[in-house]
Amino acid sequence: MEIVRYPHPALRWKSRPVAEINARLRSIVREMFELMYDAKGIGLAANQVALPFRLFIVNPSGDPKQTDQELVIVNPAIISRKGSAEGEEGCLSLPEMWGQVRRAEEIEVEAYDLKGREFRLKLKDMPARVVQHETDHLDGVLFPDRMTDTARLELAPQLEEFEAIHRRRQEAGLLPPDDVLKARLRELEGS
Ligand code: ZN
């Protein structure tokens, strides 16, 4: 398992809900936490490790010792949004890139935990932003998509560079072609 980078097709995948919470899923989640902490992130969606499952993990502290801050969010639905705030975002799948994104200030999210229990959570400020960013991943939406056209234009050279790297890795045989990557996602969806 590894964190994939834009424009890997998994990042544009609209994932289906998780049908069963089992040992395999729990081990995936453990591995995702390790990857996220190694990459110094505070959130990681299954899409970002090329898994088409509707789940993500969060630790707003980014500190692996603060396990009480860890959240596993399966099949989330944002059921209410209040206010609006602009803030800076980055993404482990778009390394070294940051942009201003407008999001709801407060949200209420309904989801399942790793024991299959349904829960509701009210969040505001940074944790609310992270959950909105990660929920977007599950629909194949990336933070530059949420930026204004003018602000996104400034990121265009960096996005083109990511695309060029992706193509070069494919040409060098280090990464399978997009159609093979998509076929894998479809296969995993059925598993
Ligand atoms: Zn992200």
Side-chain angles (χ1 to χ4, degrees):
M1 192 188 281
E2 61 172 10
I3 297 175
V4 300
R5 291 182 175 189
Y6 172 86
H8 191 292
L11 299 169
R12 288 304 188 194
W13 207 260
K14 190 168 165 43
S15 297
R16 289 201 193 145
V18 172
E20 194 195 342
I21 293 163
N22 52 26
R24 176 177 167 235
L25 201 71
R26 282 190 285 272
S27 104
I28 286 169
V29 165
R30 271 197 303 277
E31 212 175 321
M32 283 173 67
F33 270 113
E34 279 171 34
L35 283 175
M36 183 184 80
Y37 291 132
D38 283 349
K40 309 260 179 271
I42 55 174
L44 186 68
N47 298 55
Q48 294 179 274
V49 292
L51 295 174
F53 308 144
R54 228 165 161 79
L55 82 96
F56 60 82
I57 58 167
V58 172
N59 184 337
S61 76
D63 179 356
K65 289 188 209 88
Q66 296 193 40
T67 50
D68 59 320
Q69 304 243 10
E70 290 180 349
L71 276 176
V72 179
I73 300 203
V74 180
N75 297 346
I78 296 175
I79 54 172
S80 77
R81 298 167 196 264
K82 263 189 227 157
S84 160
E86 207 170 72
E88 187 171 72
E89 293 189 20
C91 182
L92 295 177
S93 295
L94 293 156
E96 305 300 315
M97 179 186 256
W98 288 273
Q100 292 291 320
V101 185
R102 185 163 284 284
R103 305 260 188 203
E105 227 167 354
E106 285 182 49
I107 57 163
E108 199 170 353
V109 63
E110 210 170 62
Y112 291 86
D113 67 15
L114 263 193
K115 293 192 170 114
R117 295 175 303 206
E118 198 173 13
F119 67 95
R120 240 180 220 206
L121 208 58
K122 275 189 179 166
L123 299 166
K124 60 178 184 176
D125 303 325
M126 199 267 271
R129 177 172 297 280
V130 178
V131 165
Q132 290 173 86
H133 175 118
E134 300 306 330
T135 303
D136 268 355
H137 271 303
L138 308 183
D139 291 319
V141 175
L142 299 169
F143 82 83
D145 306 333
R146 297 277 186 207
M147 293 170 62
T148 61
D149 290 346
T150 28
R152 196 179 328 103
L153 220 52
E154 283 174 39
L155 300 185
Q158 257 178 302
L159 290 169
E160 279 161 26
E161 180 60 23
F162 285 130
E163 286 158 17
I165 292 168
H166 182 79
R167 277 196 307 273
R168 277 203 298 275
R169 291 191 66 206
Q170 287 178 324
E171 281 158 15
L174 298 169
L175 188 72
D178 279 2
D179 54 349
V180 173
L181 295 172
K182 285 180 190 167
R184 272 187 200 168
L185 288 161
R186 274 192 294 273
E187 204 176 298
L188 281 163
E189 231 172 23
S191 71

